[in-house]
Structure formats: structure tokens, C-alpha cells
Amino acid sequence: MKIAVIAVQGAFREHIAALKSLGAEAYEAKWARDLEGADGVIIPGGESTAIGKLMREYDMLEPVRELARAGKPIYGTCAGMIVLAKRIEGEDTTHLGLMDVTVRRNSFGRQRESFEAEIDIPAIGAPPFPAVFIRAPHIVSVGEGVEVLATYEDRIVAVRQGNLLATSFHPELTDDYRLHQYFLNMAQAPVAH
Amino acid sequence: MSNVGTDRVKRGMAEMQKGGVIMDVVNAEQAKIAEAAGAVAVMALERVPSDIRKAGGVARMADPTIVEEVMNAVSIPVMAKCRIGHIVEARILEAMGVDYIDESEVLTPADEKHHIDKTKFTVPFVCGARDLGEALRRIAEGASMIRTKGEPGTGNIVEAVRHQRMMQSAIRRVQAMSEDELYAEAKNLGAPYHLLKQVHDLGRLPVVNFAAGGVATPADAALMMELGSDGVFVGSGIFKSENPEKYARAIVQAVTHYQDYELLAHLSKNLGQAMSGIDLATLREEERMAVRGW
């Protein structure tokens, strides 16, 4: 199984290491052509404005949308969640615009308010997940067909919509790879559209 | 139960900046240009380093009004500089909600013996280093990100190259050492053993390692990535060039695609005049910023 990790900016190396440790083939995608034949895509944490802008300039948005339409799993962490969202609060433009959610950027505050917390994610079972929130976004509202996987203090921080997965936090910064495994399981059992 | 200001949160913030460009700005307008060009963060300053050189005298933390103006103008992280050892400037910047503090040799040092104990802060710090020993001393004090010092405000990449070369070659040397050799090496470098052991095991610094000081062109930025930097700070190089928007966009792309030479050729075309450079041999010893800090 070949997972393309968008590598225009951000913490892509950590995602690749996590996927490889789970036995998947993972590689850096810097151009549209790198997305051909991918069985799944991860959009890492980083700066969503920079990642969105570069993906647009390198014509990577449409190939990712095509993979999504073909039922391949797409996972966005933090900035990646913003890139996936159909609506970004206070902004007219979106990036991939795939996931039927409204996100609020930097919703927990500035860097000094960034935090770690243990959160329950029933879909991956016990124990609680060590979630690292860095200038993190959260999901303000979800459309129909979006499953809320986790909340933190009443804010939605993990969601799934068919083959799309998004978290406000950064599993790639911990050594708990259960969410990466969950994502790989999605790739093995594609969701029909 | 949530924890703020942990190592993972502070270092993680820098991890998110990797492969990106952090640009010096002196007002809201420049900050917006930087953000639109794809900068991953901006450094809010009263003057860029080349103007600090020209102005002379004591260079201090920027007026908080400027930092606030920049913070209100953009949604990307905002960094700001305090003087080496100036605990109170750092506390002021932290209180204002700045996302990252650069304890910087570009400003006039406030303490000739002690850097700030950065472990006591919730906000993360970046510090300059010329070699591995200096980097590990800063990390021991709580720095969550390291950058080369380079020679800021000169548009001359030679010092940044020297520092990154020294860092990377020392890392390779340490990686090859036997575990018992690390004790003596820790003494040689003046670095804590436990951090040196991490370098030995990881084959890199335990925190993100950026290039800074003298980056003037897309090719300079790509060179620093080639030498193993995780990302690049550009100070005077953007807003002292003839066409800041073009330079900013070109340098962002050069960092992402630093090994794509055809693209770099394309990016380097018709950029207009780069910032004017300074031959370091013409600088007097007291004008050199890289030698500040220890």
C-alpha cells in the first residue's frame, strides 16, 4: 500500500516514519505527478496558508480530489484538516474543500495556549489518546454524514466522513500510531461512493 | 486535564515550520505580503538587521506597537526578538502572546554571561548557534528550535554556510562515536552529555534546525536546505530587495523544491536587484553579530 504524504511544507517526515513503522509504503509528494497511483494521502500539520497556496500552485488540489472521489482515504492533521474543509470561518476561499465541515483556525488561542491532553477516541478504543494541539483549529459544525470521532471540552477535534479523516491534533508527534493504523485500515477497506 | 508549554508542544510548534520560510517584517503591510507569499511565520521587528547595522547604537526589543500591529495583520505565527539574557523583554513578548521568541544576537546583548533560562517560559524560543556545542547549550537552557547565526544583515551567506557545515559535520562525527567516547566529547563541546547522546542516537539535533543570517536569493535558501537545514529565516533579504513580493514567493518555492534545479533557474529569473551585500572582511570585529553569545 502506497501512501502519499503531501511534502510541500510541514511535519511530513513524521507521518512517513509513522506509516513506515506500521509496514506501509509512504513517500513525499511534492508535485501533482507524485500523487499518481497513491492508495491514500496524508496532509500534514504545518501552516495551512502555506500548504494550501503551494498545493494550488503545483496543481495538487485536483489530483487529491480525484483520489478522494475514487474512494481513496485522505487524512488531514491540523493544517491538513483546514486544507480538507469545505468551509473556513472568516475566509472566503477554501483549499481542497472536500469535507463537509466548518473549521475555525487557531481556535484554542496562540502558541502559549497550545497544549497536550488525553482524549477518548472510541473508534480506536482504550486507552485515551495523547493529543498534541498546536495553534490548533477545531470543527465548529459538521454536515450530514460526518461522524464525530472525538471532542475536547465540547469542541469537535476528530471527524470522519466516509474515506476522509481529520484531526485537530498531531498524532505524528507522538509514538502512539493507532490513528495511523485506523487510516491504513480505511485504505484496506475502501468506502464506496 | 491539559498541559501547556510542554517540550512536545514547544518543539512541535517548530516541527510545523519545517520546509518553510520565516520572514522579517517591520509593519502590517510587509507582514501581509509575507503571508500571501506563503511564509510559515513572520518575525516582527522595528528594523531589519541591515538597518540595525546602519543605525548602530544599542538595538533593543521592538516597540510592542509594531509587534501588535503585525499580530493583528496576519493569521500565521508571529515571532519577535529579545536581547540575549534579557529576561524581562522576553516576559513582555510572552505576555503579549507572541508565538515564538528569538533570543537574538542581532540585538545588543543584555547579559554577557547568561542566556535566558528558557525552560521557565510557556512560549517557545529559537536561538542562534555557530556549532554543535553552542546549539546543545541553548537546548539545555530550553531552546525549542535552533538556527545558524550567519552574519545577519549582510546578504552574505558565507557565515551561515560555515555554521551549518560545522553543525552537520559535528553531528556526523558524534553519530559515529562509541558510547564511551561521548563523555569526553561532551566535555570538549561544553555540551550536556544527555543531549549529546540524543544527537548520537538520532543523527540530528533533538530540535528543528533552521538556517539564518545572510540569505539573499532563492539559490542561497536552497543551498542552506541542501546543507541539511530544516527551513530558512530570511531577514533583510526580502524587504531590502528591489521586488519583495517576487523574492518572497521565489524563496518559499526554492525551499520546498531545493533540489529541483530547473525550477530554481526559473525562480531566479528577472527577480530584480537583490539586497546589496557586505564582504565580511570589511566588517570591524565589533560589527560582527555572529560572535555575540557563547
Side-chain angles (χ1 to χ4, degrees):
Chain A
M1 193 151 30
K2 284 169 58 188
I3 306 297
V5 180
I6 302 293
V8 294
Q9 190 272 313
F12 48 87
R13 279 205 302 259
E14 288 71 12
H15 275 295
I16 290 173
L19 292 168
K20 283 188 174 164
S21 78
L22 295 171
E25 201 183 318
Y27 64 96
E28 296 181 7
K30 286 178 183 276
W31 298 104
R33 61 172 182 264
D34 299 333
L35 292 161
E36 284 167 27
D39 298 309
V41 178
I42 287 186
I43 306 151
E47 277 308 310
S48 62
T49 46
I51 293 175
K53 178 190 146 55
L54 291 168
M55 285 183 74
R56 185 168 293 108
E57 277 181 18
Y58 302 137
D59 298 321
M60 297 176 89
L61 294 176
E62 197 46 40
V64 176
R65 290 188 193 113
E66 266 169 39
L67 288 168
R69 281 194 289 270
K72 308 286 186 195
I74 318 286
Y75 178 20
T77 57
C78 193
M81 177 164 107
I82 298 167
V83 172
L84 267 175
K86 265 195 178 148
R87 292 169 299 277
I88 304 170
E89 226 179 45
E91 293 178 26
D92 301 328
T93 54
T94 59
H95 307 291
L96 284 167
L98 282 171
M99 208 174 203
D100 193 6
V101 297
T102 304
V103 297
R104 180 179 300 165
R105 295 180 59 203
N106 304 331
S107 70
F108 293 91
R110 302 195 71 96
Q111 174 57 23
R112 65 179 176 191
E113 279 90 38
S114 294
F115 64 98
E116 289 183 57
E118 303 266 308
I119 63 168
D120 287 315
I121 309 176
I124 58 164
F129 194 86
V132 184
F133 293 85
I134 296 174
R135 288 172 47 96
H138 93 278
I139 290 179
V140 184
S141 63
V142 300
E144 268 181 52
V146 179
E147 184 190 352
V148 174
L149 298 181
T151 59
Y152 175 75
E153 292 185 342
D154 299 325
R155 296 189 220 200
I156 300 170
V157 294
V159 286
R160 176 174 178 178
Q161 179 184 7
N163 55 328
L164 309 175
L165 179 68
T167 59
S168 299
F169 50 89
H170 295 280
E172 75 279 13
L173 291 184
T174 69
D175 46 18
D176 189 329
Y177 294 153
R178 281 178 293 163
L179 276 166
H180 286 90
Q181 187 59 58
Y182 181 82
F183 169 74
L184 289 174
N185 294 347
M186 286 166 63
Q188 264 151 0
V191 180
H193 273 252
Chain B
M1 182 62 206
S2 78
N3 291 310
V4 297
T6 61
D7 273 353
R8 193 141 71 176
V9 162
K10 294 200 287 193
R11 291 179 181 186
M13 161 72 193
E15 301 286 348
M16 297 309 138
Q17 304 270 294
K18 281 186 305 195
V21 182
I22 299 169
M23 302 182 191
D24 279 3
V25 299
V26 299
N27 56 41
E29 185 201 356
Q30 290 187 356
K32 284 184 177 149
I33 291 173
E35 184 177 46
V40 292
V42 289
M43 178 77 70
L45 294 166
E46 206 160 308
R47 295 190 186 100
V48 294
S50 64
D51 286 338
I52 290 175
R53 284 189 181 283
K54 279 184 205 144
V58 175
R60 308 178 181 89
M61 173 185 81
D63 182 331
T65 323
I66 292 171
V67 180
E68 266 173 14
E69 179 188 322
V70 170
M71 286 168 65
N72 292 332
V74 293
S75 64
I76 55 177
V78 176
M79 303 187 171
K81 290 184 196 290
C82 72
R83 283 179 267 178
I84 290 173
H86 207 308
I87 304 161
V88 173
E89 283 186 352
R91 285 293 181 197
I92 291 170
L93 293 172
E94 181 180 52
M96 288 170 63
V98 160
D99 295 298
Y100 232 96
I101 296 176
D102 184 359
E103 186 184 17
S104 178
E105 68 284 358
V106 168
L107 306 180
T108 312
D111 189 321
E112 294 185 331
K113 259 206 170 110
H114 310 282
H115 283 250
I116 295 170
D117 177 0
K118 295 164 276 285
T119 61
K120 299 284 191 291
F121 286 70
T122 303
V123 67
F125 281 75
V126 55
C127 288
R130 284 162 294 185
D131 54 39
L132 181 59
E134 195 173 7
L136 296 182
R137 287 192 290 280
R138 295 295 83 77
I139 295 168
E141 295 156 0
S144 307
M145 180 183 193
I146 292 294
R147 56 171 175 75
T148 59
K149 287 183 167 174
E151 193 54 55
T154 61
N156 190 335
I157 198 68
V158 65
E159 282 298 301
V161 167
R162 190 198 320 276
H163 300 160
Q164 196 60 279
R165 282 273 187 197
M166 282 171 73
M167 190 96 75
Q168 299 295 340
S169 103
I171 289 172
R172 282 189 288 271
R173 204 173 62 240
V174 165
Q175 211 182 351
M177 281 179 180
S178 64
E179 295 204 4
D180 59 345
E181 286 172 326
L182 293 176
Y183 294 100
E185 186 63 9
K187 181 170 178 263
N188 284 341
L189 293 175
Y193 169 79
H194 75 281
L195 290 176
L196 197 67
K197 177 78 167 56
Q198 285 180 28
V199 172
H200 170 75
D201 295 345
L202 294 168
R204 58 173 170 78
L205 292 181
V207 304
V208 165
N209 174 17
F210 265 49
V215 175
T217 65
D220 287 348
L223 171 63
M224 294 313 299
M225 294 300 287
E226 183 83 43
L227 294 178
S229 308
D230 290 320
V232 174
F233 283 87
V234 188
S236 323
I238 289 175
F239 290 99
K240 286 291 168 187
S241 72
E242 196 180 341
N243 190 339
E245 267 167 302
K246 240 175 151 176
Y247 265 86
R249 290 165 48 93
I251 290 176
V252 166
Q253 296 203 42
V255 167
T256 298
H257 293 294
Y258 65 95
Q259 284 176 321
D260 190 323
Y261 308 114
E262 280 174 29
L263 178 77
L264 292 173
H266 173 72
L267 293 172
S268 304
K269 281 179 189 162
N270 299 316
L271 281 174
Q273 198 62 40
M275 69 176 287
S276 61
I278 299 175
D279 181 346
L280 300 191
T282 66
L283 287 180
R284 295 192 308 277
E285 191 54 29
E286 65 271 23
E287 290 176 321
R288 297 185 69 121
M289 293 172 174
V291 297
R292 297 169 172 176
W294 30 94

